[in-house]
Amino acid sequence: MKIIVTGASRGIGRGIATALAKEGFQVGALARSSTLLDELRTEIEAARGICHTAVCDLRDPSATQSAIASLREQLGGVDGLINNAGLVIRKDAFDLSMEEWHALIDTNIHGLFYATRAVLPWMREQRRGHIINISSISGKVPLPGGSAYAATKFAVTGFSLSLLQEVREYGIKVTVVYPGSVDSQSHRHDADAGHSWKVTPEEVGQACAGILRTAPGTLISELEIRPLGRPPKP
Ligand SMILES: NC(=O)c1ccc[n+]([C@@H]2O[C@H](COP(=O)([O-])OP(=O)(O)OC[C@H]3O[C@@H](n4cnc5c(N)ncnc54)[C@H](OP(=O)(O)O)[C@@H]3O)[C@@H](O)[C@H]2O)c1
């Protein structure tokens, strides 16, 4: 299967791309950092996997359309899109600047929509496809100290659940994933604290592989993935 992963240069997206490639999926990796994408491709190819890359800022709708089209061409088709790219800013509504508010909305909502719109016509035409949107537990329950971030993740949840109802008649699956604490740099309040209790980015990728492998007439519409352990006591 040919799967495009956004935000694949670091963190969860990199873990998803790596895990999918290990399991035999062909990966199209998208992010802004060409250096990190090159490193990812080299690593996947060294392990005999397939990875193509496209550099793109998802806040730009026409650049997103071109980058997704380029990945589709390099892959020779597209079976799935994993909308993972996201900006995490944990500030309350008193402290968040207007620039930060717009950056959160532009990346987490607009960018996700632009990428989705790029693949939908192809998926409708081939009457098959799978869109996996990475929301968050904060897209289901309040996040004090991160109200704007939570607003964007609630938007991802609402969009995903509604989109499924719009596209299922065309054979397109939509899954929304709610990760709990994942060991990426973005969610580290304290860089020195232990993070080994968290879900690893690759484990999120393994969960995505399972979601993508459901039988043709079946889908997992929502998946919550949390660590079994708890943070160490201070
Ligand atoms: N970590 C957690 O505990 C956790 C929990 C729940 C949900 N999530 C969600 O999981 C997703 C990934 O989070 P993470 O922790 O892995 O974050 P991260 O380590 O900061 O990685 C974010 C990724 O998104 C890309 N990105 C950001 N802005 C972009 C833009 N404008 N255009 C293209 N790519 C962009 C980044 O690549 P470039 O900088 O190279 O563009 C990077 O690859 C996010 O949607 C986040 O909300 C994370």
PDB file of all heavy atoms in Angstrom, residues 21 42-50:
ATOM      1  N   ALA A  21       7.157   1.559   6.787  1.00  0.00           N
ATOM      2  CA  ALA A  21       8.145   1.043   5.823  1.00  0.00           C
ATOM      3  C   ALA A  21       8.639  -0.336   6.244  1.00  0.00           C
ATOM      4  O   ALA A  21       8.789  -1.235   5.415  1.00  0.00           O
ATOM      5  CB  ALA A  21       9.312   2.019   5.701  1.00  0.00           C
ATOM      6  N   THR A  42      17.074   7.950   3.615  1.00  0.00           N
ATOM      7  CA  THR A  42      18.310   7.149   3.642  1.00  0.00           C
ATOM      8  C   THR A  42      18.163   5.980   4.604  1.00  0.00           C
ATOM      9  O   THR A  42      18.532   4.836   4.284  1.00  0.00           O
ATOM     10  CB  THR A  42      19.494   8.047   4.077  1.00  0.00           C
ATOM     11  OG1 THR A  42      19.538   9.163   3.189  1.00  0.00           O
ATOM     12  CG2 THR A  42      20.809   7.313   4.036  1.00  0.00           C
ATOM     13  N   GLU A  43      17.596   6.266   5.783  1.00  0.00           N
ATOM     14  CA  GLU A  43      17.443   5.212   6.806  1.00  0.00           C
ATOM     15  C   GLU A  43      16.482   4.114   6.315  1.00  0.00           C
ATOM     16  O   GLU A  43      16.764   2.923   6.452  1.00  0.00           O
ATOM     17  CB  GLU A  43      16.908   5.867   8.081  1.00  0.00           C
ATOM     18  CG  GLU A  43      16.849   4.964   9.287  1.00  0.00           C
ATOM     19  CD  GLU A  43      16.198   5.683  10.469  1.00  0.00           C
ATOM     20  OE1 GLU A  43      16.679   6.765  10.857  1.00  0.00           O
ATOM     21  OE2 GLU A  43      15.180   5.168  10.973  1.00  0.00           O
ATOM     22  N   ILE A  44      15.380   4.527   5.716  1.00  0.00           N
ATOM     23  CA  ILE A  44      14.393   3.534   5.247  1.00  0.00           C
ATOM     24  C   ILE A  44      14.970   2.723   4.087  1.00  0.00           C
ATOM     25  O   ILE A  44      14.836   1.493   4.033  1.00  0.00           O
ATOM     26  CB  ILE A  44      13.069   4.227   4.857  1.00  0.00           C
ATOM     27  CG1 ILE A  44      12.347   4.714   6.124  1.00  0.00           C
ATOM     28  CG2 ILE A  44      12.166   3.292   4.049  1.00  0.00           C
ATOM     29  CD1 ILE A  44      11.047   5.478   5.877  1.00  0.00           C
ATOM     30  N   GLU A  45      15.660   3.408   3.170  1.00  0.00           N
ATOM     31  CA  GLU A  45      16.229   2.695   2.019  1.00  0.00           C
ATOM     32  C   GLU A  45      17.336   1.733   2.453  1.00  0.00           C
ATOM     33  O   GLU A  45      17.477   0.649   1.884  1.00  0.00           O
ATOM     34  CB  GLU A  45      16.733   3.694   0.975  1.00  0.00           C
ATOM     35  CG  GLU A  45      15.563   4.353   0.252  1.00  0.00           C
ATOM     36  CD  GLU A  45      15.968   5.430  -0.762  1.00  0.00           C
ATOM     37  OE1 GLU A  45      17.162   5.794  -0.830  1.00  0.00           O
ATOM     38  OE2 GLU A  45      15.069   5.907  -1.473  1.00  0.00           O
ATOM     39  N   ALA A  46      18.100   2.119   3.494  1.00  0.00           N
ATOM     40  CA  ALA A  46      19.161   1.232   4.002  1.00  0.00           C
ATOM     41  C   ALA A  46      18.558  -0.064   4.532  1.00  0.00           C
ATOM     42  O   ALA A  46      19.208  -1.112   4.515  1.00  0.00           O
ATOM     43  CB  ALA A  46      19.955   1.936   5.097  1.00  0.00           C
ATOM     44  N   ALA A  47      17.315   0.029   4.995  1.00  0.00           N
ATOM     45  CA  ALA A  47      16.632  -1.176   5.502  1.00  0.00           C
ATOM     46  C   ALA A  47      15.770  -1.819   4.402  1.00  0.00           C
ATOM     47  O   ALA A  47      14.853  -2.590   4.696  1.00  0.00           O
ATOM     48  CB  ALA A  47      15.780  -0.805   6.709  1.00  0.00           C
ATOM     49  N   ARG A  48      16.041  -1.451   3.156  1.00  0.00           N
ATOM     50  CA  ARG A  48      15.360  -1.994   1.967  1.00  0.00           C
ATOM     51  C   ARG A  48      13.879  -1.630   1.886  1.00  0.00           C
ATOM     52  O   ARG A  48      13.078  -2.347   1.293  1.00  0.00           O
ATOM     53  CB  ARG A  48      15.512  -3.520   1.876  1.00  0.00           C
ATOM     54  CG  ARG A  48      16.969  -3.946   1.719  1.00  0.00           C
ATOM     55  CD  ARG A  48      17.108  -5.449   1.654  1.00  0.00           C
ATOM     56  NE  ARG A  48      18.509  -5.829   1.587  1.00  0.00           N
ATOM     57  CZ  ARG A  48      19.227  -5.867   0.467  1.00  0.00           C
ATOM     58  NH1 ARG A  48      18.674  -5.548  -0.673  1.00  0.00           N
ATOM     59  NH2 ARG A  48      20.481  -6.220   0.493  1.00  0.00           N
ATOM     60  N   GLY A  49      13.521  -0.506   2.504  1.00  0.00           N
ATOM     61  CA  GLY A  49      12.153  -0.019   2.386  1.00  0.00           C
ATOM     62  C   GLY A  49      12.046   1.014   1.279  1.00  0.00           C
ATOM     63  O   GLY A  49      13.045   1.398   0.657  1.00  0.00           O
ATOM     64  N   ILE A  50      10.812   1.479   1.022  1.00  0.00           N
ATOM     65  CA  ILE A  50      10.599   2.481  -0.031  1.00  0.00           C
ATOM     66  C   ILE A  50      10.065   3.767   0.596  1.00  0.00           C
ATOM     67  O   ILE A  50       9.067   3.755   1.333  1.00  0.00           O
ATOM     68  CB  ILE A  50       9.632   1.947  -1.098  1.00  0.00           C
ATOM     69  CG1 ILE A  50      10.302   0.784  -1.828  1.00  0.00           C
ATOM     70  CG2 ILE A  50       9.216   3.057  -2.067  1.00  0.00           C
ATOM     71  CD1 ILE A  50       9.437   0.095  -2.839  1.00  0.00           C
TER      72      ILE A  50
END
